[in-house]
Amino acid sequence: MLNISPFYFLFVVSFLNMAYTSTAFNEGKAKILEWLAGEYRSIQTGRATPQVLDLVHIDLYGSRTLIAHAASVSIEDPKTIRVSPWDKTIIHDIEKAINEADLGLSVSSDTDGLRVHFPALTTETREKLVKLLKDRLEDARVKVRALREDANKDIDARAKENEFGEDERMRYREEVQKQVDLANAEVEVLFERKEKEVMG
């Protein structure tokens, strides 16, 4: 019979506990980064970018469908993207959806599809957009803080159940803080990249 030291057993259990907490945190962080990137894609910067429509849905045959799944979207010129739906009967539905999304774009349609025009940004508009970017950044930071609270609660609850000792509890909380610092750095990178694009 294999003789396993109880200390080794406790080490393995505590390692698995931390791995569990790290996995949950990393999954949450990935969702936050995806959310922030999506929010930033929807903010137009004066240059034609098909990604600005990534989050715009239409009601198609009874279900919500992304425009990119119902049409080809391409750059026509530096200030215009062309949207060519495969079903021409939904042209006006797409036009309505883009207008209702309030992305600061103007739309014109013809029998083959739509042109989405990106107006040039004024200094005042750029400043407003940067403020919006900062608001979304703070929203992301709040979400990261909530992840930290959940992870720490999980660690404290496991320590209370004697799954590991006080030293491990403090070490795990320090590891969570390192992950929080990394997550905050990553959302900051997204903000700085988009800010540079807006200020162009």
Side-chain angles (χ1 to χ4, degrees), residues 65-186:
T65 305
L66 290 169
I67 288 177
H69 294 169
S72 66
V73 183
S74 58
I75 296 176
E76 188 168 86
D77 61 51
K79 297 288 185 183
T80 312
I81 57 177
R82 180 75 181 175
V83 180
S84 303
W86 298 300
D87 179 352
K88 305 305 180 190
T89 65
I90 65 170
I91 289 174
H92 293 297
D93 294 325
I94 294 176
E95 183 175 11
K96 180 183 177 185
I98 295 172
N99 286 328
E100 289 180 350
D102 195 22
L103 300 172
L105 307 170
S106 60
V107 187
S108 59
S109 60
D110 54 39
T111 55
D112 294 321
L114 309 95
R115 285 184 174 87
V116 182
H117 308 280
F118 290 66
L121 298 180
T122 64
T123 300
E124 182 182 4
T125 303
R126 291 179 196 275
E127 289 172 353
K128 287 181 179 177
L129 287 178
V130 169
K131 183 180 183 304
L132 179 59
L133 297 180
K134 288 179 179 177
D135 288 344
R136 294 294 177 269
L137 174 62
E138 184 55 32
D139 290 341
R141 286 175 174 157
V142 168
K143 292 174 186 288
V144 170
R145 286 198 294 271
L147 275 183
R148 179 181 59 195
E149 289 175 12
D150 288 345
N152 284 337
K153 284 178 183 176
D154 181 57
I155 291 167
D156 291 346
R158 288 166 180 262
K160 193 173 182 179
E161 293 297 321
N162 296 317
E163 292 186 21
F164 44 79
E166 180 63 17
D167 289 345
E168 287 84 359
R169 186 181 78 86
M170 296 306 296
R171 181 160 55 84
Y172 294 160
R173 288 177 69 101
E174 286 172 7
E175 287 298 322
V176 167
Q177 186 57 50
K178 288 178 184 177
Q179 292 176 324
V180 167
D181 293 342
L182 179 60
N184 281 329
E186 290 181 66

Side-chain angles (χ1 to χ4, degrees), residues 40 43 45 133 190-198:
Y40 282 174
I43 298 173
T45 59
L133 297 180
L190 288 178
F191 164 75
E192 290 174 356
R193 189 181 301 152
K194 188 67 177 184
E195 180 186 36
K196 185 177 180 180
E197 187 182 330
V198 166

Side-chain angles (χ1 to χ4, degrees), residues 7-20:
F7 295 106
Y8 176 78
F9 177 77
L10 287 172
F11 170 78
V12 171
V13 169
S14 61
F15 175 80
L16 292 174
N17 283 328
M18 191 58 211
Y20 168 81

